[in-house]
Amino acid sequence: MLPPTSPISTKRSDLAVYAEVIRALMLRDMRTRFGASYWGYVVVVLWPVAHIFLMVTIMLFRNMPSPMGNNPILFVATGAVPALVFQYTSREAMKAILVNRPLMYYPQVKSFDIMIARFIVETVKGFQGLLIIIGILLLLGVDPMPEDPARAIEGYLMALLLGLGMGAINIGIMSFFPGWLWGYIVLSILLYMTSGVFFLPHMLPTEIYDLLKWNPVVQIIEWVRLAYNPSLGITVDYFYVMAWGSGSLCLGLLMERTVVRRFQ
């Protein structure tokens, strides 16, 4: 007579099956997006790196000093990296659903699983891009280490959390309004241009700065820049940013359980 299966072993087997599903989705995602060669993956990783150094080149060509008083490369990187982390994470979640929609005919695959797989891929890709940027800064003789490393890491993690939450909300909106993909691309460009990547928002008139502070990406960038220069004279509403991140994720998960499954 076979011994009864314990709840612990059943739970472990369920977790193992779920891990295999996520792993398979990640592998499929990487192959469909980056192609069969490693060069496709390298190009995608280097794309945001090239984006940052293109902006630095423009600043140097126009002889624009860093408003923070440090190296222009460091100024652009501290603004562009968290902004791009948020932008890519929130946008790629929608594209993942469009590309992998046929997989949701399998009962083991849910839209949440596709989003998690894409989020992990984007996190790894972003971390590798950050390491490349740090390596290039070291080669150029620029010290990439912030004065407060813990605060910088917290800022980057909040960019990931907010990107994941907004990505989940975007999936919910996409389930009944597919045209939202292009609408959000335009919106994300506007957010990027007004989030303080190229300037210091607190140097603008108070009325404009107070409006920009409602954008959590602005405060995430300030969060990271404070780690490099604590004497900037700005104040970040940490509770507001964390509320945006956790609130958007909760709302996105609620939409996945109700709206997305209903329209599927």
Side-chain angles (χ1 to χ4, degrees):
M1 182 177 179
L2 295 176
T5 304
S6 66
I8 296 178
S9 62
T10 303
K11 183 178 180 180
R12 287 178 179 174
S13 64
D14 291 342
L15 290 176
V17 171
Y18 185 74
E20 286 298 320
V21 171
I22 296 299
R23 177 177 176 273
L25 289 173
M26 290 174 59
L27 291 175
R28 185 183 188 278
D29 187 33
M30 294 176 68
R31 289 182 178 179
T32 54
R33 291 175 62 197
F34 311 135
S37 67
Y38 291 105
W39 291 109
Y41 183 79
V42 172
V43 169
V44 175
V45 171
L46 291 179
W47 184 253
V49 178
H51 173 92
I52 291 173
F53 282 94
L54 176 61
M55 292 190 295
V56 172
T57 302
I58 294 175
M59 286 185 63
L60 294 177
F61 180 77
R62 298 184 59 185
N63 198 25
M64 297 172 58
S66 168
M68 290 174 59
N70 54 8
N71 193 287
I73 302 177
L74 203 57
F75 168 72
V76 173
T78 54
V81 171
L84 290 176
V85 165
F86 162 76
Q87 189 179 57
Y88 276 83
T89 305
S90 59
R91 187 180 63 195
E92 292 299 326
M94 294 188 297
K95 296 167 66 176
I97 295 298
L98 290 177
V99 174
N100 298 291
R101 190 179 296 276
L103 295 178
M104 287 189 286
Y105 287 105
Y106 296 98
Q108 298 92 340
V109 180
K110 303 293 188 297
S111 59
F112 177 76
D113 305 332
I114 296 174
M115 181 186 71
I116 290 298
R118 177 63 65 94
F119 173 73
I120 296 174
V121 172
E122 285 298 312
T123 301
V124 173
K125 181 172 70 69
F127 180 71
Q128 291 173 335
L130 181 61
L131 289 179
I132 293 174
I133 293 173
I134 291 175
I136 294 175
L137 289 176
L138 290 173
L139 289 176
L140 295 176
V142 180
D143 184 10
M145 286 299 298
E147 294 187 27
D148 189 349
R151 178 179 289 181
I153 294 174
E154 291 168 357
Y156 290 128
L157 291 178
M158 287 309 305
L160 282 171
L161 176 62
L162 182 62
L164 179 62
M166 292 305 299
I169 292 176
N170 287 334
I171 292 175
I173 298 175
M174 280 275 294
S175 64
F176 61 87
F177 181 45
W180 175 242
L181 173 63
W182 300 106
Y184 184 74
I185 289 176
V186 175
L187 177 62
S188 62
I189 293 174
L190 292 176
L191 288 176
Y192 182 80
M193 298 296 293
T194 59
S195 293
V197 176
F198 311 103
F199 58 92
L200 293 178
H202 72 281
M203 297 181 68
L204 298 174
T206 305
E207 295 79 7
I208 299 177
Y209 181 51
D210 290 340
L211 289 175
L212 292 179
K213 291 278 280 189
W214 288 99
N215 177 5
V217 182
V218 171
Q219 301 211 40
I220 289 176
I221 292 176
E222 291 183 334
W223 192 330
V224 174
R225 282 180 171 159
L226 272 177
Y228 283 84
N229 188 352
S231 61
L232 274 180
I234 55 179
T235 303
V236 176
D237 190 343
Y238 299 105
F239 177 78
Y240 177 77
V241 178
M242 289 187 287
W244 256 99
S246 57
S248 61
L249 182 58
C250 291
L251 178 59
L253 294 178
L254 180 62
M255 294 178 71
E256 194 275 336
R257 297 282 294 183
T258 56
V259 178
V260 176
R261 298 189 182 185
R262 177 182 177 185
F263 280 90
Q264 284 176 357

